[in-house]
Amino acid sequence: MEDEQSFSDICGGRLALQRRYYSPSCREFCLSCPRLSLRSLTAVTCSVWLAAYGLFTLCENSMVLSAAIFITLVGLLGYLHFVKIDQETLLIIDSLGIQMTSSYASGKESTTFIEMSKVKDIVINEAIYMPTKNKAQRDRSCEVQRPSELDTCLEALRATQSPPQG
């Protein structure tokens, strides 16, 4: 059985969450984001090359243009290979373990496997963004380190969202 939902990230970008249930003891969660857009790639490349051309007109050294081309190519390759993640997958097999896979824009994949015997506890680590004008209220978040602390954390978050009494 497969289920897909769409969400927005903090910058307004689209995220897709796919949930696949292979059996009651085996499930997979896949979070993917859009590929690198041609518009953003063109904008970054043009801005670097225009800055290099401006420096070239000031110092009249052709090495500046060559360096700009080299820096753009190396920077783009580094970004695609080490930073831009297109898809993250979490495969959970109850009796065996958890496999986490990150797929980068360059095609590189990074996979980590954690045996179920090494899993001691669950940590929910989430950042909560509430678009409010009150900075003190907006910056509150809650970190849960044990499942028994979840109710306490939820109560604290509800208290920060309710209007002040008085």
Side-chain angles (χ1 to χ4, degrees):
M1 183 170 85
E2 189 169 322
D3 168 13
E4 183 169 337
Q5 289 181 319
S6 291
F7 299 96
S8 295
D9 65 6
I10 198 164
C11 299
R14 189 182 149 278
L15 297 174
L17 174 66
Q18 295 176 338
R19 292 181 279 192
R20 297 181 188 107
Y21 300 97
Y22 300 111
S23 72
S25 63
C26 180
R27 53 210 171 272
E28 182 178 46
F29 301 93
C30 180
L31 186 66
S32 56
C33 64
R35 302 254 179 210
L36 185 65
S37 72
L38 187 61
R39 179 180 293 173
S40 62
L41 177 64
T42 304
V44 169
T45 303
C46 287
S47 61
V48 169
W49 288 3
L50 283 173
Y53 186 72
L55 284 173
F56 170 73
T57 57
L58 290 175
C59 64
E60 295 181 6
N61 186 352
S62 64
M63 199 64 164
V64 172
L65 296 176
S66 299
I69 292 170
F70 181 74
I71 288 171
T72 305
L73 290 175
V74 170
L76 178 63
L77 290 174
Y79 176 75
L80 292 176
H81 194 69
F82 297 111
V83 177
K84 177 70 170 112
I85 296 177
D86 282 340
Q87 183 176 9
E88 289 186 305
T89 305
L90 183 70
L91 177 64
I92 303 170
I93 303 173
D94 289 346
S95 60
L96 195 57
I98 300 170
Q99 176 178 306
M100 299 174 291
T101 304
S102 297
S103 301
Y104 293 85
S106 66
K108 172 184 146 185
E109 284 192 357
S110 172
T111 302
T112 305
F113 182 78
I114 303 171
E115 293 178 28
M116 201 53 81
S117 62
K118 299 203 184 220
V119 175
K120 297 197 188 324
D121 209 348
I122 299 170
V123 175
I124 300 173
N125 188 12
E126 290 293 324
I128 298 170
Y129 175 74
M130 296 179 286
T132 63
K133 293 181 181 178
N134 185 348
K135 184 176 180 342
Q137 182 182 6
R138 184 183 67 216
D139 292 340
R140 290 185 186 141
S141 65
C142 191
E143 187 173 312
V144 178
Q145 294 183 355
R146 291 188 183 80
S148 60
E149 295 175 354
L150 183 59
D151 290 332
T152 308
C153 182
L154 289 174
E155 288 300 319
L157 287 174
R158 283 189 198 110
T160 61
Q161 293 177 354
S162 63
Q165 306 286 328

